Amino acid sequence: MGNLTLKVFTLGKFLVRKGEQIISEHKSQSSKIWELFQYFLSKSNEINFPEQIIKDLDFDIELMDAKNVLENRIYRLRKVLATGEEYKADQYIYYKNGGYGLRWSNFHWVDFKIFQEDCEKGERLIKTGKKMDAIECLLPALNLYRGDYLNNQLNPHWAIAPRVQYRQLYLESLNLACKLLAEYEEYQEVEELCQRAVQIEPFEERSHYILIETLLKRGHRRKARQHYYYVQALFAEQGVDPFPELEKILSESEKSHTGHERGIFNLDQIKEKIDLSNSINGIKIFPARLCRDFADYLYKQSQRNNEKLYLASVALEFCHSDFTEEEEESHINFLHKVFQHSLRSCDILFEWTGQQYLILLTSIQERKVIDILERIKNKYYEAGNQTGTIINTSYRVL
């Protein structure tokens, strides 16, 4: 009959596999028996008495009838778990002292069991100083966690406690693994772990923090800044400000990169540093955080002069997922050159994200705004080596 090992997946999508066959497909006539199985999984260390099962699963019928329905569901569940082998009533679900439970010795692979055991083993290895062994234990465990325990539309109250438990264990083990890997300067591995973590738990602060910190350590300042902007947008939807720790890390990196100094300077020194004579014909790219201040000032100025202030967007889209960071940087740098040759010296350019740029245009007619955006697109495509990228433009009056 081949391999008939039962494999149970609960961390993320619920799935039960028997050998090569998926036996947990949710059809209307079988959904109740899999709800019962999930209940047993969630009460893994307990004997479950019929009265409590009936109450927790809300049978909503007379107790005597409910017990008959429960016995029928348990029989059907036992049968489907025994798919492909001789049926034995107590092989997977036993009856003892008036209650039911799972016979765990016959469930050879259950993801949350392996996940929990490996995470706890990794923590014990750290305490004994076996750091490399701990890493080898933690990484496969973290890979097993693909989302909330029994993450489905039901969200029953009896699944909440294990869901919280495994989520917390995942986050704690993630922090341990990242810390160990950083000690060995395995920053790429840390980045990959955190990229996955922020997809699974997007509103968990620590994962974003470690990811941005790691990107900066790897010298990927653009990616770090781009992810920080993503965090700003993500948490703005929740009505909260981005984490101050992340902003501090990024600003410190920018200061070290640009060589900011402390102290007091006289106006002649400041004039020399500003050096406007060399920037009249150049276009400077400002960071996104300054956009609102510039827009506020220019909007008030345009109101006084009875003029319109235009906001334009130029977005660079990468159509190929296999672009290397160096290839992406090359396209972005080329777009920067296009800006230098397409914008007016009075236009103000902001890097909104790593791929989107905003332009504030003053003292200009709408037709001219359209011409400038068309010129940017034409100059970008004229190079002929921009395959796999698209320039999207738009504008509106502020």
Side-chain angles (χ1 to χ4, degrees):
M1 288 189 181
N3 180 13
L4 292 176
T5 300
L6 265 172
K7 300 188 78 172
V8 182
F9 300 84
T10 64
L11 301 174
K13 183 179 180 181
F14 173 72
L15 184 73
V16 182
R17 187 183 293 274
K18 188 74 174 287
E20 298 301 317
Q21 182 182 357
I22 296 174
I23 63 173
S24 60
E25 292 180 322
H26 274 244
K27 299 177 181 177
S28 57
Q29 64 270 27
S30 63
S31 61
K32 293 297 185 181
I33 69 170
W34 290 116
E35 181 186 27
L36 178 61
F37 183 56
Q38 292 177 4
Y39 179 82
F40 285 146
L41 290 172
S42 303
K43 305 280 187 175
S44 60
N45 296 319
E46 305 174 21
I47 293 179
N48 306 280
F49 296 100
E51 294 80 5
Q52 190 62 45
I53 298 173
I54 289 167
K55 179 181 178 181
D56 287 341
L57 296 186
D58 191 21
F59 276 44
D60 197 26
I61 52 179
E62 293 294 329
L63 182 60
M64 186 59 68
D65 292 334
K67 285 186 175 181
N68 291 331
V69 171
L70 175 60
E71 289 178 4
N72 177 264
R73 289 182 188 175
I74 288 175
Y75 171 74
R76 290 166 57 205
L77 178 57
R78 284 168 165 169
K79 288 283 288 185
V80 74
L81 291 174
T83 298
E85 55 187 313
E86 182 182 352
Y87 174 73
K88 297 178 183 178
D90 64 347
Q91 183 171 4
Y92 296 107
I93 302 174
Y94 66 81
Y95 180 80
K96 181 180 179 181
N97 299 329
Y100 297 94
L102 297 183
R103 195 174 298 282
W104 287 102
S105 59
N106 290 335
F107 289 86
H108 301 297
W109 197 95
V110 181
D111 61 353
F112 71 80
K113 289 280 188 182
I114 298 171
F115 168 73
Q116 185 172 15
E117 290 170 3
D118 285 352
C119 286
E120 291 173 352
K121 182 181 177 182
E123 187 174 357
R124 290 195 301 271
L125 288 168
I126 292 172
K127 291 178 180 178
T128 60
K130 298 178 180 178
K131 295 182 179 181
M132 287 302 298
D133 291 339
I135 291 173
E136 292 178 4
C137 210
L138 289 171
L139 292 185
L142 292 171
N143 194 49
L144 284 177
Y145 191 91
R146 302 187 177 187
D148 281 340
Y149 170 77
L150 297 182
N151 185 16
N152 53 45
Q153 295 180 346
L154 296 175
N155 292 317
H157 67 88
W158 39 263
I160 293 175
R163 183 175 297 167
V164 172
Q165 176 189 355
Y166 301 136
R167 179 181 182 273
Q168 188 61 33
L169 184 59
Y170 170 71
L171 295 174
E172 290 173 356
S173 299
L174 174 70
N175 286 338
L176 286 175
C178 289
K179 184 177 179 181
L180 291 176
L181 290 166
E183 287 183 21
Y184 293 101
E185 298 185 355
E186 295 289 346
Y187 296 123
Q188 182 174 347
E189 189 80 52
V190 175
E191 180 183 341
E192 291 172 0
L193 281 177
C194 290
Q195 289 283 12
R196 185 171 177 273
V198 298
Q199 294 297 318
I200 296 173
E201 297 288 349
F203 296 105
E204 178 57 36
E205 173 183 356
R206 184 64 181 166
S207 303
H208 292 289
Y209 185 98
I210 297 173
L211 177 56
I212 291 177
E213 187 179 49
T214 301
L215 289 169
L216 292 172
K217 287 179 179 178
R218 298 190 69 196
H220 298 163
R221 294 181 63 256
R222 184 180 66 81
K223 275 190 173 182
R225 188 166 60 251
Q226 184 177 356
H227 188 77
Y228 179 65
Y229 294 148
Y230 163 75
V231 172
Q232 283 184 309
L234 182 69
F235 283 89
E237 294 176 1
Q238 304 300 309
V240 297
D241 292 329
F243 307 116
E245 294 90 344
L246 300 180
E247 186 174 8
K248 183 179 179 182
I249 288 176
L250 195 61
S251 61
E252 285 178 353
S253 170
E254 289 175 348
K255 285 180 182 179
S256 64
H257 182 76
T258 55
H260 283 204
E261 303 171 77
R262 289 181 177 272
I264 306 298
F265 297 86
N266 63 44
L267 284 178
D268 289 333
Q269 291 172 313
I270 293 171
K271 179 181 177 181
E272 184 179 346
K273 283 182 175 291
I274 293 175
D275 194 15
L276 293 178
S277 61
N278 291 326
S279 61
I280 292 175
N281 296 319
I283 298 295
K284 178 178 174 57
I285 303 178
F286 292 97
R289 65 178 182 273
L290 299 180
C291 185
R292 190 184 187 284
D293 292 334
F294 271 100
D296 182 60
Y297 170 77
L298 293 174
Y299 179 75
K300 292 174 181 176
Q301 185 182 62
S302 65
Q303 292 292 299
R304 287 195 300 270
N305 297 333
N306 197 26
E307 296 176 340
K308 290 181 178 180
L309 172 63
Y310 288 90
L311 175 68
S313 167
V314 178
L316 176 60
E317 182 179 346
F318 297 112
C319 305
H320 295 168
S321 60
D322 57 349
F323 271 144
T324 65
E325 183 173 358
E326 289 73 20
E327 289 172 329
E328 290 184 2
E329 287 286 356
S330 176
H331 289 299
I332 289 170
N333 289 336
F334 181 74
L335 179 58
H336 289 181
K337 294 179 181 178
V338 170
F339 286 139
Q340 295 294 333
H341 293 91
S342 303
L343 297 176
R344 305 171 305 162
S345 60
C346 60
D347 297 330
I348 303 176
L349 179 65
F350 302 90
E351 185 178 15
W352 190 248
T353 72
Q355 294 174 229
Q356 184 180 18
Y357 298 83
L358 300 182
I359 311 166
L360 291 172
L361 303 105
T362 61
S363 304
I364 192 172
Q365 298 297 318
E366 184 175 3
R367 179 66 253 172
K368 186 62 176 177
V369 174
I370 297 172
D371 290 343
I372 289 176
L373 295 179
E374 284 297 316
R375 183 159 66 242
I376 290 172
K377 293 176 72 171
N378 291 337
K379 284 185 177 294
Y380 182 83
Y381 290 129
E382 280 173 5
N385 60 346
Q386 308 307 320
T387 304
T389 61
I390 295 175
I391 293 288
N392 292 311
T393 61
S394 58
Y395 71 95
R396 66 174 56 189
V397 177
L398 283 182

